[in-house]
Amino acid sequence: MKRRLERVAIAALIAVPVGLALLGPVLVHLADAERRQPFDAAAPWPGTDYLGAPVLAGLFEGGWSIILTALAATLAAYAAGVPLGVLAASTRRRWLDELLMRPFDLLLAIPSLLLMLLLASIAPPTAWMLVAIVAVVNLPDVARIVRAAALEAAHRPAVEAMWLQGEGWWRIAAGYTVRSILPTLAADAGVRLVGAFYLVAAASFLGVGAGPESGDWAVMVDVNRGGIFLSPWGVVLPAVLLVSLSVGLNLLFDRLLSRTRTART
Protein backbone atom coordinates (compact mmCIF):
# COMPACT_ATOMS: atom_id res chain seq x y z
CA MET A 1 0.00 0.00 0.00
CA LYS A 2 2.81 2.39 0.91
CA ARG A 3 4.64 1.73 -2.35
CA ARG A 4 1.44 2.27 -4.30
CA LEU A 5 0.92 5.63 -2.62
CA GLU A 6 4.52 6.57 -3.42
CA ARG A 7 4.02 5.69 -7.07
CA VAL A 8 0.81 7.73 -7.21
CA ALA A 9 2.51 10.71 -5.55
CA ILE A 10 5.47 10.60 -7.95
CA ALA A 11 3.18 10.27 -10.96
CA ALA A 12 1.07 13.21 -9.79
CA LEU A 13 4.09 15.43 -9.13
CA ILE A 14 5.35 14.88 -12.66
CA ALA A 15 2.05 14.54 -14.53
CA VAL A 16 0.47 17.79 -13.34
CA PRO A 17 3.14 20.21 -14.64
CA VAL A 18 3.94 18.14 -17.73
CA GLY A 19 0.25 17.67 -18.54
CA LEU A 20 -0.42 21.38 -18.09
CA ALA A 21 2.53 22.21 -20.33
CA LEU A 22 1.31 19.85 -23.05
CA LEU A 23 -2.40 20.68 -22.88
CA GLY A 24 -2.05 24.33 -21.92
CA PRO A 25 -1.99 25.75 -25.47
CA VAL A 26 -5.22 23.87 -26.17
CA LEU A 27 -6.90 25.00 -22.93
CA VAL A 28 -5.77 28.63 -23.01
CA HIS A 29 -9.11 29.74 -24.46
CA LEU A 30 -10.72 28.79 -21.12
CA ALA A 31 -8.88 31.65 -19.42
CA ASP A 32 -10.49 35.08 -19.13
CA ALA A 33 -9.10 37.12 -22.04
CA GLU A 34 -10.11 40.51 -20.59
CA ARG A 35 -7.31 42.87 -19.58
CA ARG A 36 -7.68 44.31 -16.07
CA GLN A 37 -5.65 46.21 -13.54
CA PRO A 38 -2.24 44.74 -12.66
CA PHE A 39 -2.33 42.39 -9.66
CA ASP A 40 -6.11 42.58 -9.51
CA ALA A 41 -7.15 40.09 -6.83
CA ALA A 42 -10.80 40.83 -7.59
CA ALA A 43 -10.44 39.41 -11.09
CA PRO A 44 -11.51 35.80 -11.74
CA TRP A 45 -9.21 33.37 -9.94
CA PRO A 46 -6.23 33.29 -9.92
CA GLY A 47 -6.08 37.04 -10.61
CA THR A 48 -3.93 39.07 -12.99
CA ASP A 49 -0.21 39.52 -13.49
CA TYR A 50 1.97 42.64 -13.57
CA LEU A 51 0.54 43.63 -16.97
CA GLY A 52 -3.09 42.98 -16.06
CA ALA A 53 -3.24 39.76 -18.10
CA PRO A 54 -4.89 36.69 -16.52
CA VAL A 55 -2.47 34.52 -14.58
CA LEU A 56 -4.35 31.42 -15.75
CA ALA A 57 -3.47 32.16 -19.37
CA GLY A 58 0.20 32.46 -18.41
CA LEU A 59 0.07 29.10 -16.64
CA PHE A 60 -1.43 27.49 -19.72
CA GLU A 61 1.08 28.98 -22.15
CA GLY A 62 4.26 29.16 -20.06
CA GLY A 63 5.08 25.54 -19.36
CA TRP A 64 6.36 23.91 -22.49
CA SER A 65 9.19 26.33 -23.28
CA ILE A 66 10.69 26.36 -19.77
CA ILE A 67 10.49 22.58 -19.35
CA LEU A 68 11.94 21.82 -22.78
CA THR A 69 14.73 24.40 -22.50
CA ALA A 70 15.76 23.46 -18.95
CA LEU A 71 15.70 19.73 -19.67
CA ALA A 72 17.65 20.14 -22.91
CA ALA A 73 20.27 22.33 -21.22
CA THR A 74 20.62 19.92 -18.27
CA LEU A 75 21.00 16.93 -20.59
CA ALA A 76 23.57 18.80 -22.68
CA ALA A 77 25.58 19.70 -19.57
CA TYR A 78 25.63 16.05 -18.45
CA ALA A 79 26.36 14.79 -21.96
CA ALA A 80 29.56 16.87 -21.97
CA GLY A 81 30.37 16.87 -18.25
CA VAL A 82 30.13 13.14 -17.53
CA PRO A 83 32.75 12.01 -20.11
CA LEU A 84 35.09 14.85 -19.14
CA GLY A 85 34.73 14.18 -15.41
CA VAL A 86 35.19 10.43 -15.79
CA LEU A 87 38.22 10.94 -18.05
CA ALA A 88 39.81 13.31 -15.52
CA ALA A 89 39.15 10.87 -12.68
CA SER A 90 40.36 7.75 -14.45
CA THR A 91 43.43 9.05 -16.27
CA ARG A 92 46.86 8.13 -14.96
CA ARG A 93 48.37 11.23 -16.50
CA ARG A 94 48.28 14.12 -14.04
CA TRP A 95 48.78 16.71 -16.77
CA LEU A 96 45.60 15.54 -18.53
CA ASP A 97 43.59 15.87 -15.31
CA GLU A 98 44.95 19.39 -14.85
CA LEU A 99 44.29 20.27 -18.47
CA LEU A 100 40.65 19.19 -18.20
CA MET A 101 39.78 20.63 -14.78
CA ARG A 102 41.67 23.94 -14.53
CA PRO A 103 39.54 25.72 -17.18
CA PHE A 104 36.45 24.72 -15.20
CA ASP A 105 37.98 26.22 -12.06
CA LEU A 106 38.41 29.48 -13.96
CA LEU A 107 34.77 29.42 -15.08
CA LEU A 108 33.60 28.66 -11.53
CA ALA A 109 35.45 31.77 -10.31
CA ILE A 110 33.13 33.86 -12.49
CA PRO A 111 29.59 34.37 -11.07
CA SER A 112 27.05 32.49 -13.17
CA LEU A 113 25.07 35.62 -14.08
CA LEU A 114 28.23 37.45 -15.12
CA LEU A 115 29.28 34.48 -17.24
CA MET A 116 25.82 34.47 -18.79
CA LEU A 117 26.13 38.19 -19.55
CA LEU A 118 29.44 37.58 -21.30
CA LEU A 119 28.02 34.72 -23.35
CA ALA A 120 24.81 36.62 -24.13
CA SER A 121 26.79 39.60 -25.43
CA ILE A 122 28.27 37.49 -28.23
CA ALA A 123 25.40 35.06 -28.82
CA PRO A 124 22.44 35.47 -31.19
CA PRO A 125 19.07 35.50 -29.36
CA THR A 126 17.76 32.07 -30.34
CA ALA A 127 16.21 29.22 -28.37
CA TRP A 128 19.07 26.85 -29.20
CA MET A 129 21.62 29.43 -28.08
CA LEU A 130 19.75 29.73 -24.78
CA VAL A 131 20.08 25.96 -24.32
CA ALA A 132 23.81 26.16 -25.11
CA ILE A 133 24.44 29.05 -22.70
CA VAL A 134 22.64 27.41 -19.78
CA ALA A 135 24.49 24.15 -20.50
CA VAL A 136 27.88 25.94 -20.54
CA VAL A 137 27.13 27.67 -17.23
CA ASN A 138 26.22 24.30 -15.64
CA LEU A 139 29.05 22.33 -17.23
CA PRO A 140 31.86 23.19 -14.72
CA ASP A 141 29.78 22.08 -11.73
CA VAL A 142 28.71 18.87 -13.46
CA ALA A 143 32.25 17.97 -14.52
CA ARG A 144 33.72 18.57 -11.06
CA ILE A 145 30.96 16.61 -9.28
CA VAL A 146 31.42 13.71 -11.69
CA ARG A 147 35.19 13.76 -11.22
CA ALA A 148 34.91 13.81 -7.43
CA ALA A 149 32.37 10.96 -7.44
CA ALA A 150 34.30 8.86 -9.97
CA LEU A 151 37.76 9.31 -8.46
CA GLU A 152 37.44 6.47 -5.96
CA ALA A 153 35.51 4.15 -8.29
CA ALA A 154 38.00 4.62 -11.14
CA HIS A 155 40.92 3.33 -9.04
CA ARG A 156 39.38 0.31 -7.36
CA PRO A 157 41.11 -3.09 -7.66
CA ALA A 158 38.33 -4.22 -10.00
CA VAL A 159 39.28 -1.46 -12.44
CA GLU A 160 42.96 -2.37 -12.19
CA ALA A 161 42.03 -5.96 -13.00
CA MET A 162 40.06 -4.85 -16.05
CA TRP A 163 43.04 -2.84 -17.28
CA LEU A 164 45.28 -5.89 -16.90
CA GLN A 165 42.78 -7.99 -18.86
CA GLY A 166 43.02 -5.57 -21.76
CA GLU A 167 39.59 -3.96 -21.44
CA GLY A 168 39.22 -0.67 -23.30
CA TRP A 169 38.78 2.68 -21.58
CA TRP A 170 35.26 3.15 -22.89
CA ARG A 171 34.08 -0.21 -21.54
CA ILE A 172 35.65 0.45 -18.14
CA ALA A 173 34.35 4.02 -17.94
CA ALA A 174 30.81 3.40 -19.18
CA GLY A 175 30.38 -0.15 -17.94
CA TYR A 176 31.79 0.25 -14.45
CA THR A 177 32.75 3.78 -13.38
CA VAL A 178 29.63 5.58 -14.59
CA ARG A 179 27.36 2.87 -13.17
CA SER A 180 29.11 3.27 -9.82
CA ILE A 181 28.33 6.98 -9.64
CA LEU A 182 24.71 6.83 -10.86
CA PRO A 183 23.29 7.56 -7.36
CA THR A 184 25.37 10.72 -7.17
CA LEU A 185 24.32 11.80 -10.64
CA ALA A 186 20.66 11.18 -9.83
CA ALA A 187 20.89 13.21 -6.63
CA ASP A 188 22.58 16.07 -8.47
CA ALA A 189 20.19 16.03 -11.43
CA GLY A 190 17.27 17.55 -9.52
CA VAL A 191 19.39 20.37 -8.11
CA ARG A 192 20.86 21.02 -11.54
CA LEU A 193 17.38 21.13 -13.10
CA VAL A 194 16.14 23.71 -10.59
CA GLY A 195 19.24 25.80 -11.33
CA ALA A 196 18.50 25.47 -15.04
CA PHE A 197 15.01 26.89 -14.49
CA TYR A 198 16.53 29.92 -12.77
CA LEU A 199 19.16 30.41 -15.45
CA VAL A 200 16.58 30.17 -18.24
CA ALA A 201 14.56 32.92 -16.57
CA ALA A 202 17.66 35.09 -16.11
CA ALA A 203 18.72 34.53 -19.71
CA SER A 204 15.30 35.62 -20.95
CA PHE A 205 15.82 39.01 -19.35
CA LEU A 206 19.26 39.27 -20.94
CA GLY A 207 17.69 38.96 -24.39
CA VAL A 208 18.76 35.39 -25.09
CA GLY A 209 15.88 33.25 -26.33
CA ALA A 210 12.31 34.46 -26.39
CA GLY A 211 12.83 37.24 -23.83
CA PRO A 212 10.71 38.21 -20.80
CA GLU A 213 7.62 38.59 -22.96
CA SER A 214 7.61 34.80 -23.40
CA GLY A 215 5.91 34.52 -20.02
CA ASP A 216 7.17 31.05 -19.13
CA TRP A 217 6.72 29.84 -15.53
CA ALA A 218 10.18 30.90 -14.36
CA VAL A 219 9.73 34.38 -15.84
CA MET A 220 6.27 34.61 -14.24
CA VAL A 221 7.79 34.07 -10.79
CA ASP A 222 10.30 36.84 -11.34
CA VAL A 223 8.15 39.51 -12.97
CA ASN A 224 5.19 39.03 -10.61
CA ARG A 225 7.07 38.96 -7.31
CA GLY A 226 6.61 42.71 -6.88
CA GLY A 227 2.88 42.18 -6.38
CA ILE A 228 3.02 39.03 -4.29
CA PHE A 229 1.13 40.67 -1.41
CA LEU A 230 -1.58 41.99 -3.74
CA SER A 231 -2.14 38.92 -5.91
CA PRO A 232 0.17 36.08 -4.85
CA TRP A 233 -1.03 33.45 -7.31
CA GLY A 234 1.08 34.80 -10.17
CA VAL A 235 4.16 33.76 -8.16
CA VAL A 236 2.87 30.85 -6.08
CA LEU A 237 1.29 28.74 -8.83
CA PRO A 238 4.20 28.73 -11.34
CA ALA A 239 6.67 28.20 -8.49
CA VAL A 240 4.65 25.22 -7.24
CA LEU A 241 4.60 23.73 -10.75
CA LEU A 242 8.36 24.07 -11.10
CA VAL A 243 9.03 22.60 -7.65
CA SER A 244 6.54 19.79 -8.29
CA LEU A 245 8.33 18.77 -11.48
CA SER A 246 11.79 18.94 -9.90
CA VAL A 247 10.81 16.95 -6.79
CA GLY A 248 8.89 14.40 -8.86
CA LEU A 249 11.86 13.78 -11.15
CA ASN A 250 14.19 13.44 -8.14
CA LEU A 251 11.91 10.87 -6.52
CA LEU A 252 11.56 9.00 -9.83
CA PHE A 253 15.33 8.79 -10.29
CA ASP A 254 15.80 7.62 -6.69
CA ARG A 255 13.17 4.92 -7.13
CA LEU A 256 14.64 3.67 -10.40
CA LEU A 257 18.12 3.50 -8.87
CA SER A 258 16.80 1.66 -5.83
CA ARG A 259 15.24 -0.93 -8.11
CA THR A 260 18.52 -1.27 -10.00
CA ARG A 261 20.51 -1.82 -6.81
CA THR A 262 17.93 -4.35 -5.56
CA ALA A 263 18.05 -6.26 -8.85
CA ARG A 264 21.85 -6.48 -8.65
CA THR A 265 21.80 -7.89 -5.14
Side-chain angles (χ1 to χ4, degrees):
M1 183 64 179
K2 182 179 179 181
R3 291 184 178 180
R4 182 178 299 176
L5 290 176
E6 289 178 354
R7 288 196 294 268
V8 171
I10 293 172
L13 287 170
I14 297 175
V16 170
V18 172
L20 188 60
L22 291 174
L23 299 177
V26 179
L27 301 175
V28 70
H29 69 279
L30 299 177
D32 183 14
E34 182 181 352
R35 287 274 179 169
R36 301 173 184 267
Q37 293 294 323
F39 304 122
D40 186 359
W45 189 86
T48 60
D49 62 11
Y50 75 113
L51 294 176
V55 170
L56 190 60
L59 293 175
F60 284 147
E61 295 181 319
W64 181 243
S65 61
I66 180 70
I67 291 176
L68 184 62
T69 303
L71 283 175
T74 303
L75 289 174
Y78 276 99
V82 170
L84 291 174
V86 171
L87 177 59
S90 59
T91 184
R92 301 184 180 185
R93 298 175 176 83
R94 179 65 180 271
W95 63 268
L96 181 56
D97 184 13
E98 296 288 330
L99 180 65
L100 292 171
M101 290 294 109
R102 292 297 77 81
F104 293 140
D105 291 341
L106 177 61
L107 291 177
L108 285 172
I110 305 174
S112 58
L113 288 180
L114 178 57
L115 178 59
M116 186 171 288
L117 276 170
L118 294 174
L119 295 173
S121 65
I122 59 175
T126 64
W128 285 111
M129 188 55 63
L130 175 57
V131 171
I133 288 176
V134 175
V136 168
V137 173
N138 275 319
L139 178 58
D141 284 323
V142 172
R144 287 185 61 83
I145 287 174
V146 171
R147 179 188 178 277
L151 201 56
E152 185 271 336
H155 296 281
R156 290 174 183 169
V159 174
E160 298 294 332
M162 283 188 277
W163 281 115
L164 292 175
Q165 292 175 359
E167 297 286 355
W169 179 87
W170 177 255
R171 183 175 177 83
I172 295 173
Y176 183 82
T177 306
V178 173
R179 290 174 64 185
S180 300
I181 64 173
L182 280 179
T184 301
L185 296 182
D188 180 65
V191 178
R192 204 65 51 207
L193 185 59
V194 173
F197 288 139
Y198 166 76
L199 290 173
V200 169
S204 297
F205 284 94
L206 295 175
V208 182
E213 68 277 1
S214 64
D216 63 45
W217 292 341
V219 173
M220 286 178 67
V221 172
D222 198 14
V223 298
N224 292 321
R225 59 190 171 88
I228 191 171
F229 295 108
L230 299 173
S231 181
W233 297 115
V235 174
V236 174
L237 291 179
V240 167
L241 290 169
L242 292 174
V243 172
S244 174
L245 180 60
S246 300
V247 173
L249 290 174
N250 266 333
L251 293 175
L252 178 62
F253 291 152
D254 288 344
R255 190 174 183 83
L256 292 176
L257 287 171
S258 297
R259 285 184 176 181
T260 302
R261 285 194 294 267
T262 302
R264 290 177 186 173
T265 56

